[in-house]
Amino acid sequence: MTYQVLARKWRPRDFASLVGQEHVVKALRHALAEQRLHHAYLFTGTRGVGKTTLARILAKCLNCETGITPEPCGKCGACTEIDGGRFPDLIEIDAATNTGIDEMRALQDNAAYVPVRGRFKVFVIDEVHMLSKPAFNSMLKTLEEPPAHLKFILATTDPQKIPVTVLSRCLQFNLKQMPRAAIVAHLQKILPQEKIEFDADALALIARAAAGSMRDALSLLDQAIAHGAGRLQAAGVREMLGAVDETYLLRLLEALAGGDGPALAAIADEMQVRSLSFDIALQDLASLLLRLTLAQTVPAALEADLPERERIFALAKALDPETVQLCYQIALQGRGDLPLAPDEHAGFLMTLLRMLTFRPESDFSKGGKEEKPVPAKAPSKPFDGNWPALVQQLPLAGGSKELARNSELRSSDNGVFELVVPKTMAHLAGDSYREKLQAVLTAHLGSAVKVHVTLGETGGATAAALDAADRGVRRAEAVRAVQGDNFVQDLVNLFDGRVVDSTIREKQR
């Protein structure tokens, strides 16, 4: 017998066997049971979620010889012919290859004739968004006044490209991506019937790689069975997919938390020796950083049976939330930059080193612990009201440093510092930055202080404004010095050139 691929062999043939689209199935069941039938249906969703499968099931429901029903018998001539792709009144059109008006006119000519065998003539147009504008206009005439014997079922991955005049005449159903748990559960039902031994971890890897597509999951399952010579083991599936063992990623984040650059480079080298995909590594690293954020903010949302759960919670404590957020953004950016890198290994390593270098409010050299205020070696001078001067002395970094630099001091009575920041910098007024500034001030001044932050107008006396003004003065001095330099003037005269003032930089202090 000819082998039938799993994606075709296990294609659902009725609503009961369709996985993950309960919201659509429920609506269609009710409509069929009450005979409230629309003339045009539109199924939208990403690839492999069941759009065409659902269209065929609906065609069986409409044409089953037992009558219009949400439970087609699957045994009558209409049902078996639809399953076998031989039903004369089910016409499937791939709009990706039949985009023109000529094909649509042929369809309209066909629509004029009554069904040959069935109750309804059903046109299924896949990837309908690929039709040309004239083809859409031609189809619109039939959609406006369809014959009683005609049903349209449209499917698309990109409904935004369908004209609103067509959308408004269709009953639209949005199919969602398959959850990983649903994919795993479905594969667990299939494999015993296929007499295939499997590891649960192997199915989890396939479900992750399928990215919400059941068809992709079944295709990958076929490939994994062949790769494993009839067995499914996690190591073999991981090798086939080029997937990254999560222990590598956990080790990377642990090295990052410890500020251990050599360890980061060594782990990246190990991954290169194993020919792992660095693109997938960055994708999975972003997913792991998401779990760290959940552990820090909504720990109950983290799956109870998650492997390495304890290590994830330990990392969530070792890395502050700001660092995790920044690393997530760097991972995403690094993945986008990967094709531009000298090679994937170099691009991956550079991404890791960016995470190590750009650390907000953290000191990786101290095991990833949050910066602690360090008291001055000698007693600090009493605060004399000069806020910008005080800011220059404080060991601050990141957001709390920006809060201090861009705020003005309104008052400092009885250890209470009243600061004002511009409304345009409202993000600096959050409790996280305020509390860190308060802790550093307490340590620096040697006595407990409170910091209150409000939004308002500042008068240009912030440390940042004074620094900018100082840089402006120094830059003006630099411009005058360059313009008055005899050597520069000789060059200008010799080459008939000019000095571009915007390129002159002030001398750093």
Side-chain angles (χ1 to χ4, degrees):
M1 293 179 63
T2 303
Y3 177 73
Q4 190 175 28
V5 297
L6 296 178
R8 292 189 61 192
K9 182 177 180 180
W10 292 97
R11 190 171 204 161
R13 298 177 184 272
D14 53 35
F15 288 138
S17 57
L18 194 69
V19 178
Q21 307 299 346
E22 291 78 10
H23 63 299
V24 176
V25 169
K26 182 179 180 181
L28 291 175
R29 280 182 179 275
H30 286 316
L32 289 161
E34 298 174 11
Q35 307 257 326
R36 298 175 65 88
L37 305 178
H38 205 275
H39 65 276
Y41 299 85
L42 174 63
F43 297 140
T44 67
T46 55
R47 71 182 193 284
V49 295
K51 299 184 296 295
T52 306
T53 296
L54 197 54
R56 292 177 182 174
I57 295 173
L58 182 55
K60 287 166 66 175
C61 294
L62 294 170
N63 283 300
C64 181
E65 292 175 9
T66 62
I68 298 173
T69 173
E71 304 289 347
C73 69
K75 299 177 181 178
C76 67
C79 288
T80 55
E81 288 177 20
I82 289 173
D83 286 338
R86 305 184 307 273
F87 192 61
D89 295 316
L90 175 60
I91 298 95
E92 296 190 26
I93 301 166
D94 180 10
T97 55
N98 298 281
T99 62
I101 190 171
D102 292 338
E103 289 83 1
M104 196 51 56
R105 282 174 177 165
L107 182 146
Q108 287 179 298
D109 292 341
N110 192 327
Y113 298 103
V114 296
V116 176
R117 290 275 311 281
R119 192 175 294 107
F120 296 100
K121 183 168 285 189
V122 180
F123 287 135
V124 177
I125 306 179
D126 198 14
E127 296 301 343
V128 68
H129 68 274
M130 299 289 285
L131 289 177
S132 64
K133 186 175 180 180
F136 269 124
N137 291 336
S138 179
M139 183 175 70
L140 189 59
K141 296 176 182 178
T142 308
L143 283 176
E144 287 173 343
E145 298 179 1
H149 63 264
L150 183 63
K151 300 294 179 187
F152 277 98
I153 304 178
L154 313 179
T156 181
T157 54
D158 195 353
Q160 303 298 324
K161 293 182 179 178
I162 299 176
V164 291
T165 50
V166 173
L167 289 174
S168 64
R169 289 169 172 81
C170 297
L171 203 59
Q172 184 170 341
F173 295 95
N174 299 312
L175 279 67
K176 60 186 180 183
Q177 288 188 312
M178 304 287 178
R180 290 184 188 176
I183 292 177
V184 170
H186 189 56
L187 300 186
Q188 285 174 337
K189 290 180 181 177
I190 289 173
L191 287 168
Q193 299 181 61
E194 292 288 326
K195 297 181 173 56
I196 301 293
E197 297 180 16
F198 64 91
D199 293 343
D201 289 346
L203 300 189
L205 287 169
I206 290 173
R208 182 174 67 180
S213 168
M214 187 64 79
R215 184 177 66 229
D216 285 3
L218 291 170
S219 297
L220 288 170
L221 183 62
D222 248 331
Q223 185 179 344
I225 292 170
H227 186 273
R231 296 189 62 187
L232 276 180
Q233 294 181 318
V237 172
R238 188 175 287 113
E239 181 182 347
M240 179 196 81
L241 296 172
V244 180
D245 190 331
E246 194 166 69
T247 56
Y248 280 109
L249 306 180
L250 289 165
R251 286 171 58 202
L252 283 172
L253 291 184
E254 286 164 352
L256 195 63
D260 193 343
L264 288 175
I267 297 168
D269 289 344
E270 286 181 44
M271 295 169 68
Q272 185 182 35
V273 169
R274 283 201 54 200
S275 299
L276 297 176
S277 166
F278 288 115
D279 179 72
I280 294 175
L282 288 173
Q283 175 183 314
D284 292 350
L285 186 59
S287 297
L288 181 57
L289 289 164
L290 169 60
R291 293 196 193 103
L292 259 64
T293 301
L294 288 174
Q296 291 172 333
T297 56
V298 195
L302 210 60
E303 304 98 302
D305 58 348
L306 187 69
E308 309 292 350
R309 180 182 171 89
E310 296 305 317
R311 288 177 76 179
I312 288 173
F313 273 103
L315 278 168
K317 292 179 181 177
L319 295 168
D320 62 78
E322 293 172 22
T323 298
V324 175
Q325 290 293 322
L326 182 60
C327 288
Y328 178 82
Q329 292 297 329
I330 291 174
L332 296 183
Q333 183 65 47
R335 190 180 179 206
D337 291 346
L338 212 54
L340 307 176
D343 56 70
E344 282 205 348
H345 174 264
F348 182 70
L349 182 57
M350 179 58 81
T351 301
L352 297 179
L353 295 177
R354 283 178 189 164
M355 293 179 183
L356 187 67
T357 303
F358 299 107
R359 50 189 186 272
E361 301 273 353
S362 297
D363 184 356
F364 287 99
S365 65
K366 299 177 183 178
K369 300 297 183 183
E370 187 175 300
E371 262 189 4
K372 299 300 179 187
V374 180
K377 293 181 180 179
S380 301
K381 294 181 180 179
F383 176 51
D384 59 3
N386 188 341
W387 176 248
L390 177 61
V391 168
Q392 298 297 329
Q393 303 172 32
L394 299 178
L396 293 166
S400 57
K401 180 178 181 178
E402 292 307 304
L403 168 61
R405 281 174 42 77
N406 289 280
S407 61
E408 280 188 355
L409 181 68
R410 287 288 185 260
S411 65
S412 58
D413 297 331
N414 299 318
V416 178
F417 285 70
E418 298 285 350
L419 301 179
V420 179
V421 295
K423 294 179 181 178
T424 55
M425 296 184 174
H427 63 284
L428 296 176
D431 286 343
S432 174
Y433 299 147
R434 179 187 60 78
E435 289 170 0
K436 289 175 183 176
L437 174 58
Q438 181 174 282
V440 171
L441 273 172
T442 296
H444 185 76
L445 297 175
S447 60
V449 301
K450 288 286 185 182
V451 174
H452 296 161
V453 181
T454 57
L455 301 179
E457 298 297 327
T458 55
T462 65
L466 294 175
D467 282 349
D470 181 53
R471 285 197 303 272
V473 170
R474 286 186 283 122
R475 186 174 178 281
E477 291 173 352
V479 169
R480 285 196 296 271
V482 169
Q483 290 177 339
D485 187 275
N486 292 332
F487 177 69
V488 172
Q489 291 303 317
D490 288 344
L491 288 175
V492 169
N493 295 331
L494 178 63
F495 294 104
D496 192 23
R498 64 185 180 88
V499 175
V500 180
D501 291 349
S502 61
T503 63
I504 300 173
R505 297 290 177 266
E506 69 275 13
K507 184 177 180 181
Q508 298 297 319
R509 289 182 176 174

